[in-house]
Amino acid sequence: GAGVSQTPSNKVTEKGKYVELRCDPISGHTALYWYRQSLGQGPEFLIYFQGTGAADDSGLPNDRFFAVRPEGSVSTLKIQRTERGDSAVYLCASSFSGGPAYEQYFGPGTRLTVT
Amino acid sequence: ELKVEQNPLFLSMQEGKNYTIYCNYSTTSDRLYWYRQDPGKSLESLFVLLSNGAVKQEGRLMASLDTKARLSTLHITAAVHDLSATYFCAVDTDSWGKLQFGAGTQVVVTP
């Protein structure tokens, strides 16, 4: 079956611009996670959705970052006034239900480059 | 603050030999995950360990969890080239799947 998909696969933007990154989770998965992975490091948690609501957004680095999941399926990560330090691979993951017993399936990621 | 430390960070393996990757973490948790990442690719789930003493095996890989020691190991038996990748351990910090990852262990298997 279809896995987690993310678009675009690559995004190059200028410093100060606004970007949106999209995640399509596996059908039927209620939990959705965003992570950010910098070169040579492990993924870093950003935000977790259970259904339509953000259950935990403690990993968002500052108020330039915002994410939504209005219908409980597709999620969009939005970054305002991008900075060069935002350059990373943004990974989305989904699981059947939020919780430790359910493994997270990761998408291919969006590589964001801020010039 | 939870810390997840992997060692080694780089491991050069000879085909046919056995190796172990270690994952130490700094807080109480009995939920630990191992992932594999190939260059330029996303993460593939390898093992989900949910209790003290849990042991899981798949092919040449075996993972175990000792929650009292706050240690998980990933053992590779008779390494083969196909196992070349970066391996991450991750600890569930709040029972809802919020994972904290280690820095990863880059594995290169040579003949």
Side-chain angles (χ1 to χ4, degrees):
Chain A
V4 178
S5 62
Q6 293 185 246
T7 55
S9 56
N10 281 283
K11 177 71 177 179
V12 180
T13 191
E14 293 180 347
K15 179 176 178 292
K17 299 289 188 183
Y18 168 84
V19 296
E20 290 189 351
L21 312 179
R22 176 186 168 109
C23 172
D24 279 90
I26 292 172
S27 178
H29 281 193
T30 60
L32 185 146
Y33 306 81
W34 283 98
Y35 294 86
R36 177 169 72 174
Q37 186 175 23
S38 299
L39 190 63
Q41 298 182 22
E44 173 191 19
F45 171 82
L46 296 177
I47 187 169
Y48 154 60
F49 287 90
Q50 181 60 259
T52 60
D56 186 342
D57 64 358
S58 61
L60 295 178
N62 51 59
D63 62 5
R64 294 186 299 104
F65 288 75
F66 188 71
V68 295
R69 194 186 185 199
E71 298 179 356
S73 178
V74 171
S75 176
T76 305
L77 178 65
K78 307 180 181 191
I79 310 174
Q80 298 178 321
R81 304 183 304 281
T82 52
E83 300 177 357
R84 292 194 179 87
D86 298 335
S87 297
V89 175
Y90 289 80
L91 295 167
C92 175
S94 70
S95 71
F96 179 72
S97 176
Y102 296 101
E103 62 187 295
Q104 295 179 28
Y105 296 87
F106 281 80
T110 293
R111 182 175 299 278
L112 176 65
T113 304
V114 182
T115 62
Chain B
E1 179 188 342
L2 171 64
K3 291 185 180 179
V4 181
E5 295 182 344
Q6 288 182 238
N7 71 83
L9 297 182
F10 180 81
L11 190 48
S12 179
M13 298 185 181
Q14 285 188 331
E15 282 189 334
K17 293 193 175 179
N18 303 333
Y19 298 87
T20 301
I21 300 170
Y22 299 90
C23 175
N24 289 89
Y25 54 97
S26 63
T27 193
T28 302
S29 177
D30 57 2
R31 303 174 296 278
L32 190 135
Y33 308 78
W34 284 95
Y35 288 87
R36 167 183 172 143
Q37 187 174 40
D38 292 289
K41 305 291 186 182
S42 193
L43 285 84
E44 173 191 355
S45 177
L46 294 175
F47 299 109
V48 178
L49 303 170
L50 298 177
S51 61
N52 185 40
V55 177
K56 291 199 175 178
Q57 183 165 4
E58 180 72 33
R60 300 176 186 273
L61 302 179
M62 183 175 71
S64 64
L65 178 62
D66 181 344
T67 59
K68 295 180 181 177
R70 300 179 184 175
L71 171 69
S72 179
T73 60
L74 180 66
H75 187 72
I76 298 171
T77 301
V80 293
H81 179 70
D82 285 353
L83 293 179
S84 296
T86 299
Y87 293 84
F88 292 95
C89 65
V91 176
D92 186 341
T93 63
D94 68 355
S95 300
W96 288 104
K98 175 182 175 181
L99 301 181
Q100 175 126 359
F101 283 81
T105 297
Q106 184 182 358
V107 168
V108 177
V109 182
T110 55

